PDB file of all heavy atoms in Angstrom:
ATOM      1  N   GLY C1006       8.021   3.695  -2.122  1.00 89.00           N
ATOM      2  CA  GLY C1006       8.580   2.716  -1.100  1.00 89.00           C
ATOM      3  C   GLY C1006       9.315   1.593  -1.620  1.00 89.00           C
ATOM      4  O   GLY C1006       9.531   0.613  -0.847  1.00 89.00           O
ATOM      5  N   GLY C1007       9.666   1.465  -2.921  1.00 85.00           N
ATOM      6  CA  GLY C1007      10.501   0.420  -3.401  1.00 85.00           C
ATOM      7  C   GLY C1007       9.918  -0.628  -4.244  1.00 85.00           C
ATOM      8  O   GLY C1007      10.531  -1.561  -4.726  1.00 85.00           O
ATOM      9  N   ALA C1008       8.584  -0.507  -4.500  1.00 88.00           N
ATOM     10  CA  ALA C1008       7.994  -1.527  -5.422  1.00 88.00           C
ATOM     11  C   ALA C1008       8.428  -1.293  -6.853  1.00 88.00           C
ATOM     12  O   ALA C1008       8.770  -0.110  -7.240  1.00 88.00           O
ATOM     13  CB  ALA C1008       6.378  -1.383  -5.279  1.00 88.00           C
ATOM     14  N   SER C1009       8.418  -2.405  -7.629  1.00 84.00           N
ATOM     15  CA  SER C1009       8.748  -2.393  -8.999  1.00 84.00           C
ATOM     16  C   SER C1009       7.577  -2.349  -9.952  1.00 84.00           C
ATOM     17  O   SER C1009       6.554  -2.999  -9.734  1.00 84.00           O
ATOM     18  CB  SER C1009       9.685  -3.571  -9.380  1.00 84.00           C
ATOM     19  OG  SER C1009       9.921  -3.539 -10.736  1.00 84.00           O
ATOM     20  N   MET C1010       7.774  -1.566 -11.009  1.00 81.00           N
ATOM     21  CA  MET C1010       6.593  -1.479 -11.974  1.00 81.00           C
ATOM     22  C   MET C1010       6.447  -2.762 -12.676  1.00 81.00           C
ATOM     23  O   MET C1010       5.306  -3.037 -13.053  1.00 81.00           O
ATOM     24  CB  MET C1010       6.987  -0.392 -13.098  1.00 81.00           C
ATOM     25  CG  MET C1010       7.177   1.020 -12.551  1.00 81.00           C
ATOM     26  SD  MET C1010       7.765   2.089 -13.943  1.00 81.00           S
ATOM     27  CE  MET C1010       9.299   1.385 -14.383  1.00 81.00           C
ATOM     28  N   ALA C1011       7.412  -3.571 -12.770  1.00 83.00           N
ATOM     29  CA  ALA C1011       7.248  -4.905 -13.420  1.00 83.00           C
ATOM     30  C   ALA C1011       6.680  -5.980 -12.550  1.00 83.00           C
ATOM     31  O   ALA C1011       6.302  -7.085 -12.927  1.00 83.00           O
ATOM     32  CB  ALA C1011       8.704  -5.399 -13.871  1.00 83.00           C
ATOM     33  N   GLY C1012       6.476  -5.699 -11.146  1.00 87.00           N
ATOM     34  CA  GLY C1012       5.818  -6.606 -10.255  1.00 87.00           C
ATOM     35  C   GLY C1012       6.903  -7.447  -9.718  1.00 87.00           C
ATOM     36  O   GLY C1012       8.048  -7.566 -10.005  1.00 87.00           O
ATOM     37  N   GLY C1013       6.558  -8.295  -8.613  1.00 89.00           N
ATOM     38  CA  GLY C1013       7.385  -9.170  -7.934  1.00 89.00           C
ATOM     39  C   GLY C1013       8.235  -8.552  -6.890  1.00 89.00           C
ATOM     40  O   GLY C1013       9.003  -9.354  -6.243  1.00 89.00           O
ATOM     41  N   VAL C1014       8.355  -7.329  -6.731  1.00 88.00           N
ATOM     42  CA  VAL C1014       9.300  -6.661  -5.795  1.00 88.00           C
ATOM     43  C   VAL C1014       8.543  -5.616  -5.031  1.00 88.00           C
ATOM     44  O   VAL C1014       7.712  -4.846  -5.536  1.00 88.00           O
ATOM     45  CB  VAL C1014      10.405  -6.013  -6.597  1.00 88.00           C
ATOM     46  CG1 VAL C1014      11.309  -5.136  -5.587  1.00 88.00           C
ATOM     47  CG2 VAL C1014      11.183  -6.899  -7.365  1.00 88.00           C
ATOM     48  N   GLY C1015       8.848  -5.571  -3.764  1.00 90.00           N
ATOM     49  CA  GLY C1015       8.131  -4.621  -2.846  1.00 90.00           C
ATOM     50  C   GLY C1015       7.797  -5.287  -1.417  1.00 90.00           C
ATOM     51  O   GLY C1015       7.709  -6.378  -1.238  1.00 90.00           O
ATOM     52  N   THR C1016       7.721  -4.462  -0.493  1.00 92.00           N
ATOM     53  CA  THR C1016       7.387  -4.854   0.891  1.00 92.00           C
ATOM     54  C   THR C1016       6.299  -3.955   1.606  1.00 92.00           C
ATOM     55  O   THR C1016       6.188  -2.769   1.033  1.00 92.00           O
ATOM     56  CB  THR C1016       8.565  -4.800   1.793  1.00 92.00           C
ATOM     57  OG1 THR C1016       9.065  -3.503   1.971  1.00 92.00           O
ATOM     58  CG2 THR C1016       9.794  -5.649   1.357  1.00 92.00           C
ATOM     59  N   ILE C1017       5.568  -4.543   2.451  1.00 94.00           N
ATOM     60  CA  ILE C1017       4.532  -3.766   3.090  1.00 94.00           C
ATOM     61  C   ILE C1017       5.093  -2.483   3.926  1.00 94.00           C
ATOM     62  O   ILE C1017       4.539  -1.450   3.772  1.00 94.00           O
ATOM     63  CB  ILE C1017       3.658  -4.664   4.092  1.00 94.00           C
ATOM     64  CG1 ILE C1017       2.997  -5.817   3.314  1.00 94.00           C
ATOM     65  CG2 ILE C1017       2.672  -3.832   4.830  1.00 94.00           C
ATOM     66  CD1 ILE C1017       2.005  -5.398   2.339  1.00 94.00           C
ATOM     67  N   VAL C1018       6.230  -2.864   4.537  1.00 91.00           N
ATOM     68  CA  VAL C1018       6.793  -1.772   5.330  1.00 91.00           C
ATOM     69  C   VAL C1018       7.406  -0.590   4.435  1.00 91.00           C
ATOM     70  O   VAL C1018       7.291   0.548   4.622  1.00 91.00           O
ATOM     71  CB  VAL C1018       7.948  -2.276   6.202  1.00 91.00           C
ATOM     72  CG1 VAL C1018       8.759  -1.199   6.886  1.00 91.00           C
ATOM     73  CG2 VAL C1018       7.372  -3.253   7.319  1.00 91.00           C
ATOM     74  N   GLY C1019       7.925  -1.011   3.255  1.00 90.00           N
ATOM     75  CA  GLY C1019       8.321  -0.128   2.307  1.00 90.00           C
ATOM     76  C   GLY C1019       7.264   0.783   1.842  1.00 90.00           C
ATOM     77  O   GLY C1019       7.408   2.064   1.627  1.00 90.00           O
ATOM     78  N   ALA C1020       6.020   0.244   1.541  1.00 93.00           N
ATOM     79  CA  ALA C1020       4.938   1.018   1.035  1.00 93.00           C
ATOM     80  C   ALA C1020       4.503   2.029   2.127  1.00 93.00           C
ATOM     81  O   ALA C1020       4.125   3.225   1.795  1.00 93.00           O
ATOM     82  CB  ALA C1020       3.765   0.088   0.747  1.00 93.00           C
ATOM     83  N   VAL C1021       4.539   1.584   3.350  1.00 93.00           N
ATOM     84  CA  VAL C1021       4.131   2.409   4.560  1.00 93.00           C
ATOM     85  C   VAL C1021       5.036   3.623   4.664  1.00 93.00           C
ATOM     86  O   VAL C1021       4.764   4.671   4.853  1.00 93.00           O
ATOM     87  CB  VAL C1021       3.989   1.577   5.754  1.00 93.00           C
ATOM     88  CG1 VAL C1021       3.793   2.557   7.096  1.00 93.00           C
ATOM     89  CG2 VAL C1021       2.852   0.664   5.773  1.00 93.00           C
ATOM     90  N   ILE C1022       6.427   3.254   4.644  1.00 91.00           N
ATOM     91  CA  ILE C1022       7.482   4.297   4.572  1.00 91.00           C
ATOM     92  C   ILE C1022       7.176   5.328   3.564  1.00 91.00           C
ATOM     93  O   ILE C1022       7.305   6.484   3.668  1.00 91.00           O
ATOM     94  CB  ILE C1022       8.875   3.667   4.565  1.00 91.00           C
ATOM     95  CG1 ILE C1022       9.072   2.872   5.837  1.00 91.00           C
ATOM     96  CG2 ILE C1022       9.853   4.796   4.274  1.00 91.00           C
ATOM     97  CD1 ILE C1022      10.497   2.223   5.802  1.00 91.00           C
ATOM     98  N   GLY C1023       6.797   4.877   2.292  1.00 91.00           N
ATOM     99  CA  GLY C1023       6.624   5.629   1.068  1.00 91.00           C
ATOM    100  C   GLY C1023       5.401   6.494   1.443  1.00 91.00           C
ATOM    101  O   GLY C1023       5.433   7.696   1.049  1.00 91.00           O
ATOM    102  N   ALA C1024       4.399   5.989   2.118  1.00 93.00           N
ATOM    103  CA  ALA C1024       3.206   6.872   2.380  1.00 93.00           C
ATOM    104  C   ALA C1024       3.590   7.934   3.389  1.00 93.00           C
ATOM    105  O   ALA C1024       3.116   9.144   3.290  1.00 93.00           O
ATOM    106  CB  ALA C1024       2.110   5.947   3.013  1.00 93.00           C
ATOM    107  N   PHE C1025       4.476   7.567   4.400  1.00 92.00           N
ATOM    108  CA  PHE C1025       4.849   8.679   5.264  1.00 92.00           C
ATOM    109  C   PHE C1025       5.813   9.660   4.727  1.00 92.00           C
ATOM    110  O   PHE C1025       5.886  10.871   5.066  1.00 92.00           O
ATOM    111  CB  PHE C1025       5.425   7.944   6.551  1.00 92.00           C
ATOM    112  CG  PHE C1025       4.305   7.613   7.540  1.00 92.00           C
ATOM    113  CD1 PHE C1025       4.110   6.270   7.722  1.00 92.00           C
ATOM    114  CD2 PHE C1025       3.646   8.547   8.193  1.00 92.00           C
ATOM    115  CE1 PHE C1025       3.025   5.909   8.636  1.00 92.00           C
ATOM    116  CE2 PHE C1025       2.690   8.317   9.177  1.00 92.00           C
ATOM    117  CZ  PHE C1025       2.422   6.988   9.328  1.00 92.00           C
ATOM    118  N   ILE C1026       6.602   9.266   3.714  1.00 91.00           N
ATOM    119  CA  ILE C1026       7.447  10.267   2.979  1.00 91.00           C
ATOM    120  C   ILE C1026       6.607  11.227   2.352  1.00 91.00           C
ATOM    121  O   ILE C1026       6.740  12.497   2.443  1.00 91.00           O
ATOM    122  CB  ILE C1026       8.440   9.541   2.004  1.00 91.00           C
ATOM    123  CG1 ILE C1026       9.491   8.807   2.624  1.00 91.00           C
ATOM    124  CG2 ILE C1026       8.961  10.486   0.935  1.00 91.00           C
ATOM    125  CD1 ILE C1026      10.489   7.970   1.685  1.00 91.00           C
ATOM    126  N   MET C1027       5.473  10.795   1.605  1.00 91.00           N
ATOM    127  CA  MET C1027       4.515  11.694   0.932  1.00 91.00           C
ATOM    128  C   MET C1027       3.812  12.537   2.016  1.00 91.00           C
ATOM    129  O   MET C1027       3.657  13.709   1.913  1.00 91.00           O
ATOM    130  CB  MET C1027       3.442  10.915   0.203  1.00 91.00           C
ATOM    131  CG  MET C1027       3.966  10.049  -0.944  1.00 91.00           C
ATOM    132  SD  MET C1027       4.502  11.051  -2.364  1.00 91.00           S
ATOM    133  CE  MET C1027       2.973  11.756  -2.910  1.00 91.00           C
ATOM    134  N   GLY C1028       3.484  12.033   3.133  1.00 92.00           N
ATOM    135  CA  GLY C1028       2.802  12.736   4.211  1.00 92.00           C
ATOM    136  C   GLY C1028       3.729  13.754   4.803  1.00 92.00           C
ATOM    137  O   GLY C1028       3.227  14.924   5.028  1.00 92.00           O
ATOM    138  N   VAL C1029       5.039  13.402   5.106  1.00 93.00           N
ATOM    139  CA  VAL C1029       5.934  14.425   5.674  1.00 93.00           C
ATOM    140  C   VAL C1029       6.144  15.537   4.673  1.00 93.00           C
ATOM    141  O   VAL C1029       6.305  16.701   5.056  1.00 93.00           O
ATOM    142  CB  VAL C1029       7.177  13.725   6.013  1.00 93.00           C
ATOM    143  CG1 VAL C1029       8.297  14.683   6.409  1.00 93.00           C
ATOM    144  CG2 VAL C1029       7.034  12.708   7.237  1.00 93.00           C
ATOM    145  N   MET C1030       6.236  15.241   3.424  1.00 92.00           N
ATOM    146  CA  MET C1030       6.481  16.248   2.500  1.00 92.00           C
ATOM    147  C   MET C1030       5.256  17.197   2.330  1.00 92.00           C
ATOM    148  O   MET C1030       5.467  18.473   2.329  1.00 92.00           O
ATOM    149  CB  MET C1030       6.776  15.554   1.074  1.00 92.00           C
ATOM    150  CG  MET C1030       8.106  15.005   0.939  1.00 92.00           C
ATOM    151  SD  MET C1030       8.311  14.105  -0.736  1.00 92.00           S
ATOM    152  CE  MET C1030       8.011  15.320  -1.904  1.00 92.00           C
TER     153      MET C1030
END
């Protein structure tokens, strides 16, 4: 969903979209 391994970057909506990408797959 777009979060960075280094921290400081990412959004709630992005994480939710990432979860649904995994779910759709």
Side-chain angles (χ1 to χ4, degrees):
S1009 172
M1010 296 178 296
V1014 176
T1016 63
I1017 298 295
V1018 173
V1021 172
I1022 292 175
F1025 275 108
I1026 285 178
M1027 296 289 290
V1029 169
M1030 289 174 59

